[in-house]
Amino acid sequence: MRVVGTAGHVDHGKSSLVTALTGINPDRLKEEREREMTIDLGFAWLTLPDGESISIIDVPGHEDFIKNMLAGVGGIDAALLVVAADEGVMPQTREHVDILDLLQVRSGVVALTKIDLVDDPEWLDLVREEILEYLAATSLAQAPIVPVSARTGEGLSELVTALRQALDSAPPRPDRGRPRLGIDRVFTMTGFGTVVTGTLTDGVLRVGQDVTILPQGLGARIRGLQTHRQKVEVALPGSRAAANLVGVQVSDLKRGDVVTTPGCYSPTQRFDAQVRLLPHAAQPLQHNATIDLFVGASQTPARIRLLDVQALEPGALAWAQIETDQPVVVAAQDRFIIRQPSPSATLGGGSVVDPKPVARYRRFRAEVIRRLETLAHGTPEDILIQALDRAGPIQEQALLQQAGLPPEIAGKALEDLKSRGEVLPLVPERPAGTLVSRGQWESLSSRLRSLLEAYHRQHPLRGGMPREELKSRLGLEARVYAEVVQRAVAEGVVSATEAVVSLPGYKPRFTPEQERLVEALLARFRREPFSPPSVSEAESEVGPEVLAALVEQGRLMRLSDSVLLLPETYERMLIAVIDRLRRGQPVTIATVRDLFSTSRKYAQAFLEYLDRERITRRVGDERVLLQP
């Protein structure tokens, strides 16, 4: 389904023409009908001769209501530019055409209205030439001009034919699987409750579907859908839709909010863009200028930071970061308009390049400009790589959504990148799982090595960096971190145990003096295996770091805060205790103390260790065997 939007100066006959074409008066407000002037958006629909039904958005032409006009033209496929034959091109004609040009609306028709008021053919020719000359440098340069009269009906059939041809030349609305309905009306219907209307883009909505209203993050459910007052089960991309929402009140919503499905979009208050200032702007646009931003159906004050020029000259392009006062919902390639707040005037517009930049850029940075140029003009592969480098490691589905490309194009580009080894799954067995770019993986691998090299230098007696510490240093979430380590181990970048990560082949090495102290300590443990030195005694002999290394290497076992044993001593005690238990003989602390001629402290620490390892379980003063 396609949408046509009117444009043109006040009192040039836009609403009268829509009524003549459709039989529907788009002026729905009492004040509009009393003043015979459109104030807010109006809506109608028309069935073309081939049976297709199209939507028509009628916008106000008066300069006082240009902001309402902007809420309606963001989602149109073609423009119906209305110019009165008795007046020709007027100031709001020019501003509306400026807006259509900035939004890159390239399909359209010019309706030369009120021809019944002009008797002089030469005058009509002059007006036609004026229109052609004015539109020559705009996106509507190829728009045909159709003389019509809403009062007599002359030219209406020719106008319908021209609209059909204009819509045929407009590209179809893509289904990216990420529906967005920018709300332009909110109202209550008796017996139904909250109803919102808007133009649906980027996906479909279905009856019964759970939805999210952004930027507030409100949850709701679609109870019903209508298009042109007809109930539908599914609203398609590009259609005008009315959604009956359950779970929200009219007071919760406003024009500019977005209905979408959970997880598809998140609001932002900063985005990167390419901006163009109108050629006839009164003066250059300064860095950090305050503007009014219009994107979709929303309007918000904002500040524009110019990244590659000191000031944006009339007619020129620039890269910019736009920071909004209120959160907005945008996607890559969205078009927007910027206006001067006071006195109100259209300044220019542009296209979103990155909807969620990771940082506030410093100005005049060559690498930032190169990145924005790639995002704006690159191939699908370039766009995917840029999105991956910015957001990765990232799940494949999230990457495809962030790229802002049609699914079939994004999917093919991603498969090509995988086949060339430019995009890698962190876990090869899960090719559609977490992805990184080749450059990103090389950077991660290098960072892993650097972190571990520094750790080994700082702690030469430790077998590796604790896993949790390494995760914190890398700044990765737990799932991604586990996959990064898994791939790094598979590629031989690191070695890992359940507790630590190290460089491959790394072994703690004692200095000769440390080795001498270690041998002296271990000799004491061998001489007094069941009453060896305590932890504090051992630390005083070799130092805490050396003792921790001995435990990590398995040359000593730490049973409690104060008790250490040689592994072979522990095994000897374990075998003896299990043998007694299997023979049905009781084992208590006193039993272990007497059996090994040790003290109660060592016997208690040994048995509590067995309990923690779930080898035994305490029942009263005795232990029972848990493991066969």
Side-chain angles (χ1 to χ4, degrees), residues 271-321:
F271 62 87
D272 297 340
Q274 188 172 46
V275 180
R276 177 165 68 94
L277 194 62
L278 287 170
H280 48 269
Q283 58 190 9
L285 182 65
Q286 300 299 318
H287 172 66
N288 263 342
T290 298
I291 58 169
D292 284 336
L293 172 75
F294 296 82
V295 59
S298 72
Q299 170 194 350
T300 181
R303 189 173 297 277
I304 184 166
R305 300 184 64 251
L306 301 174
L307 299 177
D308 61 341
V309 294
Q310 290 289 357
L312 180 57
E313 298 294 329
L317 288 167
W319 298 108
Q321 262 194 342

Side-chain angles (χ1 to χ4, degrees), residues 209-229:
Q209 193 171 27
D210 290 328
V211 293
T212 299
I213 292 89
L214 299 177
Q216 306 97 309
L218 300 174
R221 180 174 55 84
I222 298 177
R223 181 160 65 181
L225 287 169
Q226 286 192 8
T227 294
H228 301 167
R229 295 185 183 170

Side-chain angles (χ1 to χ4, degrees), residues 551-564:
V551 173
E552 188 175 315
Q553 293 169 25
R555 297 168 74 177
L556 287 174
M557 289 183 63
R558 187 161 188 161
L559 303 190
S560 70
D561 290 342
S562 60
V563 174
L564 296 161

Side-chain angles (χ1 to χ4, degrees), residues 195-459:
V195 177
V196 300
T197 69
T199 302
L200 179 60
T201 61
D202 291 353
V204 302
L205 291 176
R206 292 179 170 84
V207 173
Q209 193 171 27
D210 290 328
V211 293
T212 299
I213 292 89
L214 299 177
Q216 306 97 309
L218 300 174
R221 180 174 55 84
I222 298 177
R223 181 160 65 181
L225 287 169
Q226 286 192 8
T227 294
H228 301 167
R229 295 185 183 170
Q230 298 296 313
K231 290 183 178 180
V232 295
E233 290 297 312
V234 178
L236 300 175
S239 64
R240 287 287 308 172
N244 178 203
L245 300 179
V246 178
V248 289
Q249 303 298 317
V250 168
S251 57
D252 297 330
L253 310 177
K254 64 183 183 305
R255 173 177 285 178
D257 291 345
V258 173
V259 179
T260 182
T261 48
C264 282
Y265 299 91
S266 58
T268 183
Q269 288 188 255
R270 177 189 295 138
F271 62 87
D272 297 340
Q274 188 172 46
V275 180
R276 177 165 68 94
L277 194 62
L278 287 170
H280 48 269
Q283 58 190 9
L285 182 65
Q286 300 299 318
H287 172 66
N288 263 342
T290 298
I291 58 169
D292 284 336
L293 172 75
F294 296 82
V295 59
S298 72
Q299 170 194 350
T300 181
R303 189 173 297 277
I304 184 166
R305 300 184 64 251
L306 301 174
L307 299 177
D308 61 341
V309 294
Q310 290 289 357
L312 180 57
E313 298 294 329
L317 288 167
W319 298 108
Q321 262 194 342
I322 294 179
E323 297 178 335
T324 61
D325 284 10
Q326 302 296 326
V328 294
V329 178
V330 295
Q333 302 174 11
D334 282 356
R335 308 290 307 186
F336 59 86
I337 299 295
I338 59 174
R339 301 193 85 228
Q340 179 176 283
S342 181
S344 185
T346 300
L347 297 173
S351 175
V352 177
V353 174
D354 186 348
K356 292 187 81 70
V358 295
R360 192 174 194 261
Y361 306 131
R362 293 176 59 188
R363 301 178 71 194
F364 307 108
R365 298 292 292 270
E367 67 274 16
V368 170
I369 304 307
R370 283 195 300 269
R371 176 178 171 277
L372 296 178
E373 287 172 345
T374 300
L375 285 174
H377 306 297
T379 64
E381 288 82 1
D382 294 331
I383 292 170
L384 279 169
I385 288 291
Q386 288 278 5
L388 187 53
D389 281 340
R390 179 181 73 251
I394 188 174
Q395 291 288 106
E396 179 173 307
Q397 190 59 39
L399 171 65
L400 293 175
Q401 290 181 352
Q402 289 196 16
L405 297 167
E408 64 279 4
I409 294 176
K412 182 180 183 304
L414 184 56
E415 289 307 311
D416 289 345
L417 289 168
K418 286 180 180 178
S419 66
R420 299 200 301 264
E422 295 182 41
V423 171
L424 310 169
L426 280 179
V427 180
E429 295 77 19
R430 296 199 292 273
T434 309
L435 303 179
V436 290
S437 68
R438 183 169 56 196
Q440 199 169 40
W441 176 247
E442 290 172 356
S443 176
L444 265 173
S445 301
S446 176
R447 193 164 170 223
L448 272 171
R449 284 190 290 265
S450 297
L451 285 171
L452 292 174
E453 285 171 358
Y455 190 86
H456 290 328
R457 285 194 302 270
Q458 186 178 358
H459 306 286

Side-chain angles (χ1 to χ4, degrees), residues 573-592 594-596 607 610 616-617 619 621-626:
M573 296 173 72
L574 177 64
I575 291 169
V577 166
I578 289 177
D579 182 61
R580 284 183 63 88
L581 290 171
R582 283 177 175 165
R583 287 189 281 115
Q585 297 175 345
V587 171
T588 64
I589 291 176
T591 304
V592 174
D594 296 341
L595 189 61
F596 300 106
L607 289 178
L610 296 189
T616 61
R617 179 167 58 87
V619 179
D621 290 336
E622 297 184 1
R623 258 62 180 187
V624 296
L625 191 62
L626 289 181

